[in-house]
Amino acid sequence: MSNNTHILIMAGGVGSRFWPKSRNQFPKQFIDILGLGKSLLQLTYERFLKICPNEQIFILTNADYAGLVKEQLPSIMEQNILLEPSRNNTAPCIAYASYKIAKTNPQANIVVAPSDHLILKETEFLNKVNLALDYSAHNDALLTLGINPTRPDTGYGYIKYEKEQGARNNEQGVDKVTAFMEKPSLDKAKSYIKSGDYVWNAGIFIWSAKAIITAFEKYAPEIATLFEQGNRAYNTPEEANFILANYPNSPNISIDYAILEKADNVYTIPADIGWSDLGTWASLHSVAEKDENNNAISCAHLNIANTEECLIQLPAGKAAVIKGLSNYIVVDDGKVLLIYPKSDEQEIKQVAASMVLNFGQDYL
């Protein structure tokens, strides 16, 4: 493992599509949503301990979740928990961490990853990350892991790439990115799959601190100027005050829009790592263990009959009797009970907002 490798785990989201289990005060990344006895954040953290030591792993989260991070990751150093005073999307949080890390180690290599994704093929994932780290350490390149698509999914962004025949980087499995594509229609998604020139955008990035800071200076100077001003404060007692005063002034923009869609040194490493962003209840159902009727059940006391293709999650100690359901989400978090057709799950975010509007913030 290289002393230059650093990990940035982004853990500030609210996971609204997993309502009611994921709530503002206890969002998706802190939940044992897979029933493994560990939260998604804990699983992600443990995975990256195989890449570098814990003192080189940083958690970036909203200030509201500082206590949850400390509780779930007691071995993380407090100065490695970076707190956002506002939610300004991924570009500012990556800039903050990059400038902070670069001040300590200008030769740093940085892996940026979400805290709440599922990776089933961990060995292959670690191999791809190490390949990317080796490449970014020797090249001015912004890399992303591209997920080999298994279906024409309309819920993911896509990355178009081209193989450079005979080029050394292609021999290593590193391909040139030519375009980032928004979530497509079904017909477009089918054409992407048929062409073989597209991968899913998983939001997992690898680059050197120097490369990403140079990119901010070139393509997002407003962000670069703001966070460069903090160089005198990073890794000192003044850092928290600087971030509290200045972070909310950064633009609300994703790293894709701010940098990656503009830069000409973006590469992808296509990967088959058993990935899911676990973005919806249906995506959880697709990867969870199921019974003979394709039900994914997390409940110890359940009497079930004539029920198929359902996802059922109930609190410990809760008993239920269910009969005659097909393709439903049944989730009880103790305060809210959701029984909803799986085919209509895209409505859940709006339903949660309606509950708050009608009955108050306790339901968000």
Side-chain angles (χ1 to χ4, degrees), residues 291-293 295 297 302-310 312 320-326:
D291 67 10
E292 64 275 12
N293 294 309
N295 298 304
I297 298 170
L302 181 64
N303 185 319
I304 189 170
N306 300 332
T307 294
E308 61 183 10
E309 300 289 345
C310 289
I312 302 168
V321 179
I322 297 175
K323 181 178 180 179
L325 285 185
S326 178

Side-chain angles (χ1 to χ4, degrees), residues 243-289:
I243 291 301
L244 186 62
N246 292 279
Y247 194 97
N249 298 326
S250 60
N252 188 330
I253 188 171
S254 72
I255 193 68
D256 296 55
Y257 283 130
I259 302 293
L260 298 175
E261 293 186 4
K262 302 173 183 176
D264 58 5
N265 60 335
V266 183
Y267 295 84
T268 189
I269 298 178
D272 177 11
I273 56 175
W275 172 87
S276 171
D277 71 343
L278 293 179
T280 62
W281 285 115
S283 65
L284 175 60
H285 178 269
S286 70
V287 299
E289 290 189 19

